[in-house]
Amino acid sequence: MTRLNLLQFAPQADILGVVFVDRNRNGLYDEALDTPVARARVLLAGGREALTDERGRYSFGNVRIGTHALRLDPSTTPYQALITHQAGGLSGTKTVHVTGLTSVDFPSHRREETSVCCGAPP
């Protein structure tokens, strides 16, 4: 008789996103305007990490469905992450509920500019 471990069949999802310099400060990646940030490190709570490619893209595969925290490592980019509605008031940190394919972008700006965008409170 074969026993099944039901945890092996736990629902999985994927997280993907772009790290970019948000030139118009709208929080959305505009390919014709914004600049992707290569080799930025994105951390997923629990110990996983990913480096962005030359187009600023990163991904985490096989993530359990549920709420997860991600952080843009500030030591890997000369830019500061903008505070968005997902950031909870912390620059470079986002908490998201992951279901299926979930997109989490990290818009950023030059460090001397102000860091609030996209309807986030100052």
Side-chain angles (χ1 to χ4, degrees):
M1 180 167 135
T2 303
R3 294 188 146 259
L4 293 176
N5 180 351
L6 295 179
L7 293 178
Q8 289 179 320
F9 299 102
Q12 301 288 304
D14 297 309
I15 300 172
L16 56 81
V18 179
V19 178
F20 62 97
V21 178
D22 191 3
R23 302 279 181 209
N24 63 359
R25 310 286 296 238
N26 68 354
L28 303 173
Y29 180 62
D30 302 306
E31 195 169 336
L33 178 64
D34 297 328
T35 305
V37 178
R39 304 212 32 88
R41 184 167 63 160
V42 178
L43 307 168
L44 177 64
R48 293 175 64 184
E49 61 182 66
L51 284 178
T52 58
D53 65 13
E54 67 280 350
R55 293 170 57 188
R57 301 174 305 181
Y58 74 92
S59 66
F60 293 102
N62 299 316
V63 176
R64 285 192 183 270
I65 290 177
T67 302
H68 295 274
L70 293 100
R71 177 148 176 81
L72 178 61
D73 182 349
S75 70
T76 62
T77 174
Y79 306 100
Q80 182 173 343
L82 295 171
I83 297 174
T84 65
H85 70 280
Q86 294 174 318
L90 299 173
S91 175
T93 300
K94 296 197 177 192
T95 302
V96 295
H97 186 72
V98 176
T99 58
L101 185 61
T102 303
S103 178
V104 183
D105 292 341
F106 286 93
S108 60
H109 64 93
R110 294 179 192 265
R111 292 196 185 273
E112 63 273 3
E113 297 174 12
T114 59
S115 62
V116 176
C117 89
C118 326

